[in-house]
Amino acid sequence: KFEDGAVQFRLRLVVSLLSHRPLLIRNIRSKDVEAPGLKDYEVSFLRLLDRMTNGSRFEINSTGTQLKFHPGVLLGGDVSHECPPSRGIGWFLEGILPLGPFGKEPLLVNLTGWTDGTREVDPSPDALQSCVVPLLVHHFLA
């Protein structure tokens, strides 16, 4: 149970999925008067996780300020997803990279969206490929 909103949103979901423990996140931008609750890219990330798993359940309250996540089984396989223009593809890749080695099948992901890396906070897919992928190969395939 987390009271501090959307801080480390993707990481909490990934850890919940890998540990098979339910997750409750409260106060997601509850003090933001103009746009409380989950953002479009966070909901899109939930859809991506739903495509990668079997049996996962998401419960979002009417204002979007509370999320209950009941993790399912991580399947892997072929997954296609369209990322919203509000975040780059790198933001989604950062979230799902830790899940890749743990699926029942090899994970093949086809993400469409912004790849230019001009977003101030999102890494480009090229940066992730040159930095993170060699680490994963070294630790999981060596």
Side-chain angles (χ1 to χ4, degrees):
K1 179 167 93 172
F2 291 95
E3 301 286 340
D4 52 353
V7 176
Q8 297 294 328
F9 179 76
R10 295 169 296 169
L11 181 62
R12 290 181 190 176
L13 289 167
V14 166
V15 170
S16 173
L17 190 56
L18 291 176
S19 66
H20 302 285
R21 298 191 65 181
L23 173 68
L24 172 64
I25 303 175
R26 295 183 180 166
N27 301 325
I28 302 171
R29 294 182 193 86
S30 58
K31 295 180 181 170
D32 186 352
V33 178
E34 294 181 14
L38 293 169
K39 300 289 186 190
D40 65 333
Y41 53 87
E42 292 166 333
V43 174
S44 182
F45 186 74
L46 293 174
R47 286 190 196 112
L48 176 58
L49 289 182
D50 189 43
R51 288 187 179 112
M52 294 172 60
T53 62
N54 184 22
S56 291
R57 290 191 337 252
F58 305 94
E59 299 172 25
I60 303 170
N61 70 352
S62 60
T63 59
T65 57
Q66 180 173 304
L67 166 69
K68 290 181 185 177
F69 173 56
H70 302 277
V73 177
L74 186 60
L75 297 177
D78 292 335
V79 178
S80 294
H81 184 72
E82 187 170 341
C83 304
S86 51
R87 291 309 285 254
I89 286 179
W91 187 84
F92 291 87
L93 285 173
E94 279 182 328
I96 64 171
L97 273 174
L99 298 174
F102 299 103
K104 289 187 177 259
E105 298 177 21
L107 180 62
L108 300 170
V109 181
N110 180 17
L111 298 176
T112 56
W114 294 95
T115 61
D116 59 1
T118 58
R119 308 269 190 265
E120 292 85 26
V121 293
D122 299 334
S124 71
D126 295 330
L128 290 173
Q129 182 180 6
S130 63
C131 298
V132 178
V133 172
L135 289 172
L136 291 174
V137 168
H138 176 72
H139 289 289
F140 288 102
L141 297 178

